[in-house]
Amino acid sequence: MNALLRLQSELGDIVSIDPLDLDAHRTDKSGWVADGTPLAVVRATTVDHVQAVLRTATEFRVPVVTRGAGTGLSGGACGTDGSIVLSVAGLTRILEINPDDELAVVEAGVINQHLNDALARHNLWFAPDPASKAISTVGGNIATNAGGLLCAKYGVTREAVLGLTVVLADGSLLRTGHRTVKGVTGYDLTALLTGSEGTLGVIVEATVRVRALTAGTVATIGAVFGTVTAAAAASAAITAARIRPAVMELIDPVALGHVANYLGPEGSAGLPLGRGAFLLVQTDGPAALAEAEAALIVLREAGGEATLSMDAASGDRLLAVRRAMHPALEQLGQVLIEDVSVPRSRMAEMFGAIAEISARTGISIPTVAHAGDGNLHPNFVIPRDGAADAAVPDEIWAAADEMFQAALALGGTLTGEHGVGVLKRRWLQDEIGDTSLVLQRQLKTVFDPLGLLNPGTMFKA
């Protein structure tokens, strides 16, 4: 008996070998397409299913690529040749909501927004806020330590994870963490597994920290600056003034021009989007108005043309400018969304470096940033020329290489929220160094001695 026959015998019709299904699972939202064809796609709906897949994979030495909603942006959940694609998107139960202890227990396939919909009935919310929250899973958020628009004030996913249930490579079950506010017993395996991108185990359940819904009002500021460096300096000035917005987003002039064309005059929210850079600032809570008024002073002193809105409709129109960024670019071709972070005080320098690389190479690099935490998303648009997925040209990777090195030189990191995946593994050693790379490979071997879990993700196989 081989691996496929064993899977079909034990798991029945949740095992798919349909060619179209296999092909669809070779890619994710990054646009990366893995070589070859997966052996099968298994759509697990229980923890027992996941354990059966891992036991079979270990017995027959078959690689396993774990996948949630497929919204990743680093190529880390793409079915490689001969692999079992293990989908945990069907593990969708919200097992517990505990308002007294401000926690929830959920399976890995629960959609981020669905969890928040359920929590809202208890006046609670789950703070991790990736742009894909309407379609991405909590398990995927944890596997990549996802970020989003609210990180500067409310933290990344790791800060919201109390404990995990994980299926290890041999099919055994590991429980980590705690349900308490404090807990320092033993090594923090929960933190290690958060952001491990499916290379150490398969996350099937999570105990997450939830918060009381933020009381008070929401204030939104939209500001236009003559240059992106001026806008970045203004955002740094807000941070230096000890103002902590819930959202602070920056769009550079190249990207803003595309957004202006996409939205048209009626979508401009009363701002001159056809020129300069756009900075969005949103404050929340009881002090929202006072914080927004203080931020407005900083922005205007920095040369921004700014407008403050306290009503939800106007605020939504300002937020719509930011949300239109990627739809505007996707009209132009396939978008490679990159992800670097630098200290907030050096964000203006990073924007300057991107502009210099773009001008010198002739490659357009429209860029948006989570300005509140220094996380930039430079974008490369690749014309499709009729193909569904265009290959990334070498000259774009060369420009990206320069951009990554610039981020590291400014004290930054290669990825703030998307993960290493396949697309950034060639630069991993540049950031973490030889000693850390060896140690991390050793950790991988402890959890996955046969090298079956997501081989090629993060480290070269």
Side-chain angles (χ1 to χ4, degrees), residues 158-386:
R158 177 174 284 117
E159 279 76 63
V161 181
L162 293 170
L164 295 171
T165 301
V166 178
V167 179
L168 298 177
D170 63 359
S172 59
L173 207 60
L174 170 69
R175 298 186 187 279
T176 75
H178 45 80
R179 292 169 62 95
T180 54
V181 175
K182 294 179 179 179
V184 295
T185 308
Y187 293 123
D188 190 351
L189 296 182
T190 304
L192 176 62
L193 288 157
T194 301
S196 61
E197 302 186 40
T199 63
L200 304 181
V202 179
I203 296 167
V204 291
E205 183 183 301
T207 301
V208 297
R209 178 181 288 113
V210 299
R211 297 171 176 266
L213 284 172
T214 305
T217 57
V218 173
T220 308
I221 301 171
V224 174
F225 288 82
T227 66
V228 68
T229 51
S235 70
I238 287 177
T239 301
R242 305 296 180 260
I243 303 167
R244 186 58 59 88
V247 175
M248 188 154 61
E249 298 288 300
L250 198 163
I251 305 177
D252 82 346
V254 179
L256 193 60
H258 293 308
V259 171
N261 291 334
Y262 177 74
L263 292 176
E266 65 280 0
S268 69
L271 291 168
L273 300 184
R275 60 176 176 80
F278 177 73
L279 184 64
L280 172 76
V281 179
Q282 191 170 77
T283 58
D284 63 359
L289 179 56
E291 289 180 341
E293 289 175 338
L296 196 63
I297 292 171
V298 173
L299 295 174
R300 287 174 174 166
E301 287 179 347
E305 184 176 336
T307 179
L308 168 63
S309 171
M310 292 299 297
D311 72 274
S314 297
D316 285 345
R317 284 194 293 272
L318 291 169
L319 278 168
V321 175
R322 166 62 179 87
R323 294 192 186 108
M325 164 72 175
H326 286 108
L329 296 183
E330 285 172 346
Q331 287 197 329
L332 307 175
Q334 180 183 320
V335 183
L336 175 64
I337 307 172
E338 274 306 339
D339 168 42
V340 297
S341 285
V342 297
R344 289 171 290 187
S345 61
R346 309 203 71 176
M347 196 163 50
E349 293 172 80
M350 189 64 212
F351 270 107
I354 293 169
E356 189 278 326
I357 293 167
S358 177
R360 177 165 41 79
T361 62
I363 297 172
S364 179
I365 313 177
T367 301
V368 64
H370 306 309
D373 54 32
N375 186 188
L376 294 86
H377 293 305
N379 295 265
F380 297 94
V381 181
I382 306 154
R384 289 194 175 91
D385 296 326

Side-chain angles (χ1 to χ4, degrees), residues 5 48 142 232 269 378 414 419:
L5 290 175
D48 287 344
I142 294 170
L414 294 169

